[in-house]
mmCIF file of all heavy atoms in Angstrom:
data_model
loop_
_atom_site.group_PDB
_atom_site.id
_atom_site.type_symbol
_atom_site.label_atom_id
_atom_site.label_comp_id
_atom_site.label_asym_id
_atom_site.label_seq_id
_atom_site.Cartn_x
_atom_site.Cartn_y
_atom_site.Cartn_z
ATOM 1 N N GLY A 53 -76.350 -65.883 -105.957
ATOM 2 C CA GLY A 53 -75.810 -66.507 -107.158
ATOM 3 C C GLY A 53 -75.111 -67.858 -106.962
ATOM 4 O O GLY A 53 -74.581 -68.401 -107.928
ATOM 5 N N SER A 54 -75.129 -68.357 -105.755
ATOM 6 C CA SER A 54 -74.517 -69.666 -105.544
ATOM 7 C C SER A 54 -75.310 -70.427 -104.474
ATOM 8 O O SER A 54 -76.246 -69.874 -103.904
ATOM 9 C CB SER A 54 -73.038 -69.518 -105.098
ATOM 10 O OG SER A 54 -72.952 -68.860 -103.872
ATOM 11 N N LYS A 55 -74.865 -71.637 -104.211
ATOM 12 C CA LYS A 55 -75.583 -72.469 -103.245
ATOM 13 C C LYS A 55 -75.382 -71.948 -101.829
ATOM 14 O O LYS A 55 -74.333 -71.409 -101.474
ATOM 15 C CB LYS A 55 -75.102 -73.926 -103.370
ATOM 16 C CG LYS A 55 -75.452 -74.619 -104.654
ATOM 17 C CD LYS A 55 -74.972 -76.068 -104.599
ATOM 18 C CE LYS A 55 -75.364 -76.773 -105.910
ATOM 19 N NZ LYS A 55 -74.911 -78.189 -105.922
ATOM 20 N N ALA A 56 -76.411 -72.199 -101.051
ATOM 21 C CA ALA A 56 -76.336 -71.822 -99.615
ATOM 22 C C ALA A 56 -75.422 -72.787 -98.883
ATOM 23 O O ALA A 56 -75.207 -73.931 -99.294
ATOM 24 C CB ALA A 56 -77.720 -71.846 -99.012
ATOM 25 N N THR A 57 -74.862 -72.289 -97.783
ATOM 26 C CA THR A 57 -74.017 -73.121 -96.928
ATOM 27 C C THR A 57 -74.837 -73.420 -95.663
ATOM 28 O O THR A 57 -75.258 -72.506 -94.962
ATOM 29 C CB THR A 57 -72.753 -72.343 -96.536
ATOM 30 O OG1 THR A 57 -72.060 -71.948 -97.729
ATOM 31 C CG2 THR A 57 -71.868 -73.238 -95.684
ATOM 32 N N TYR A 58 -75.030 -74.704 -95.398
ATOM 33 C CA TYR A 58 -75.882 -75.130 -94.290
ATOM 34 C C TYR A 58 -75.013 -75.495 -93.092
ATOM 35 O O TYR A 58 -73.956 -76.081 -93.226
ATOM 36 C CB TYR A 58 -76.721 -76.306 -94.704
ATOM 37 C CG TYR A 58 -77.818 -75.946 -95.687
ATOM 38 C CD1 TYR A 58 -77.552 -75.835 -97.062
ATOM 39 C CD2 TYR A 58 -79.099 -75.669 -95.246
ATOM 40 C CE1 TYR A 58 -78.527 -75.499 -97.957
ATOM 41 C CE2 TYR A 58 -80.114 -75.312 -96.160
ATOM 42 C CZ TYR A 58 -79.781 -75.241 -97.518
ATOM 43 O OH TYR A 58 -80.800 -74.892 -98.406
ATOM 44 N N GLU A 59 -75.520 -75.195 -91.925
ATOM 45 C CA GLU A 59 -74.847 -75.594 -90.682
ATOM 46 C C GLU A 59 -75.073 -77.079 -90.436
ATOM 47 O O GLU A 59 -76.030 -77.674 -90.947
ATOM 48 C CB GLU A 59 -75.366 -74.768 -89.517
ATOM 49 C CG GLU A 59 -75.060 -73.287 -89.642
ATOM 50 C CD GLU A 59 -73.564 -72.984 -89.773
ATOM 51 O OE1 GLU A 59 -72.804 -73.393 -88.848
ATOM 52 O OE2 GLU A 59 -73.164 -72.397 -90.779
ATOM 53 N N GLN A 60 -74.209 -77.658 -89.665
ATOM 54 C CA GLN A 60 -74.329 -79.071 -89.366
ATOM 55 C C GLN A 60 -75.658 -79.393 -88.696
ATOM 56 O O GLN A 60 -76.085 -78.685 -87.790
ATOM 57 C CB GLN A 60 -73.169 -79.473 -88.424
ATOM 58 C CG GLN A 60 -73.030 -80.959 -88.201
ATOM 59 C CD GLN A 60 -71.774 -81.317 -87.430
ATOM 60 O OE1 GLN A 60 -71.129 -80.394 -86.887
ATOM 61 N NE2 GLN A 60 -71.478 -82.576 -87.345
ATOM 62 N N GLY A 61 -76.292 -80.414 -89.208
ATOM 63 C CA GLY A 61 -77.573 -80.829 -88.646
ATOM 64 C C GLY A 61 -78.768 -80.256 -89.296
ATOM 65 O O GLY A 61 -79.914 -80.641 -88.971
ATOM 66 N N VAL A 62 -78.573 -79.318 -90.195
ATOM 67 C CA VAL A 62 -79.680 -78.686 -90.911
ATOM 68 C C VAL A 62 -79.885 -79.395 -92.250
ATOM 69 O O VAL A 62 -78.960 -79.502 -93.027
ATOM 70 C CB VAL A 62 -79.438 -77.188 -91.123
ATOM 71 C CG1 VAL A 62 -80.594 -76.574 -91.899
ATOM 72 C CG2 VAL A 62 -79.263 -76.490 -89.792
ATOM 73 N N GLU A 63 -81.103 -79.886 -92.473
ATOM 74 C CA GLU A 63 -81.367 -80.637 -93.698
ATOM 75 C C GLU A 63 -81.562 -79.686 -94.879
ATOM 76 O O GLU A 63 -82.518 -78.943 -94.919
ATOM 77 C CB GLU A 63 -82.633 -81.473 -93.528
ATOM 78 C CG GLU A 63 -82.587 -82.488 -92.410
ATOM 79 C CD GLU A 63 -83.944 -83.154 -92.233
ATOM 80 O OE1 GLU A 63 -84.410 -83.788 -93.186
ATOM 81 O OE2 GLU A 63 -84.530 -83.058 -91.101
ATOM 82 N N LYS A 64 -80.630 -79.724 -95.819
ATOM 83 C CA LYS A 64 -80.716 -78.802 -96.921
ATOM 84 C C LYS A 64 -81.882 -79.111 -97.864
ATOM 85 O O LYS A 64 -82.371 -78.229 -98.581
ATOM 86 C CB LYS A 64 -79.400 -78.783 -97.702
ATOM 87 C CG LYS A 64 -79.013 -80.120 -98.298
ATOM 88 C CD LYS A 64 -77.666 -80.006 -99.026
ATOM 89 C CE LYS A 64 -77.280 -81.292 -99.670
ATOM 90 N NZ LYS A 64 -75.964 -81.184 -100.360
ATOM 91 N N ASP A 65 -82.313 -80.340 -97.880
ATOM 92 C CA ASP A 65 -83.427 -80.675 -98.767
ATOM 93 C C ASP A 65 -84.770 -80.295 -98.150
ATOM 94 O O ASP A 65 -85.804 -80.206 -98.854
ATOM 95 C CB ASP A 65 -83.450 -82.190 -99.067
ATOM 96 C CG ASP A 65 -82.233 -82.639 -99.862
ATOM 97 O OD1 ASP A 65 -81.748 -81.789 -100.659
ATOM 98 O OD2 ASP A 65 -81.770 -83.771 -99.691
ATOM 99 N N LYS A 66 -84.746 -80.046 -96.887
ATOM 100 C CA LYS A 66 -85.954 -79.655 -96.218
ATOM 101 C C LYS A 66 -86.097 -78.098 -96.147
ATOM 102 O O LYS A 66 -87.156 -77.569 -96.276
ATOM 103 C CB LYS A 66 -85.976 -80.202 -94.797
ATOM 104 C CG LYS A 66 -87.274 -79.822 -94.009
ATOM 105 C CD LYS A 66 -87.396 -80.610 -92.747
ATOM 106 C CE LYS A 66 -88.753 -80.332 -92.144
ATOM 107 N NZ LYS A 66 -89.871 -80.746 -93.021
ATOM 108 N N PHE A 67 -84.992 -77.487 -95.949
ATOM 109 C CA PHE A 67 -84.932 -76.021 -95.876
ATOM 110 C C PHE A 67 -84.207 -75.511 -97.118
ATOM 111 O O PHE A 67 -82.984 -75.320 -97.117
ATOM 112 C CB PHE A 67 -84.245 -75.575 -94.586
ATOM 113 C CG PHE A 67 -84.923 -76.037 -93.328
ATOM 114 C CD1 PHE A 67 -84.467 -77.154 -92.647
ATOM 115 C CD2 PHE A 67 -86.037 -75.349 -92.858
ATOM 116 C CE1 PHE A 67 -85.087 -77.586 -91.479
ATOM 117 C CE2 PHE A 67 -86.661 -75.770 -91.701
ATOM 118 C CZ PHE A 67 -86.230 -76.874 -91.032
ATOM 119 N N LEU A 68 -84.991 -75.220 -98.134
ATOM 120 C CA LEU A 68 -84.432 -74.770 -99.393
ATOM 121 C C LEU A 68 -84.224 -73.257 -99.375
ATOM 122 O O LEU A 68 -85.107 -72.484 -99.023
ATOM 123 C CB LEU A 68 -85.377 -75.141 -100.552
ATOM 124 C CG LEU A 68 -85.714 -76.613 -100.714
ATOM 125 C CD1 LEU A 68 -86.644 -76.810 -101.889
ATOM 126 C CD2 LEU A 68 -84.407 -77.435 -100.908
#
Side-chain angles (χ1 to χ4, degrees):
Chain A
S54 64
K55 292 183 179 180
T57 304
Y58 290 83
E59 296 302 302
Q60 189 173 9
V62 177
E63 301 175 59
K64 61 181 181 181
D65 294 330
K66 181 168 188 60
F67 298 99
L68 300 180

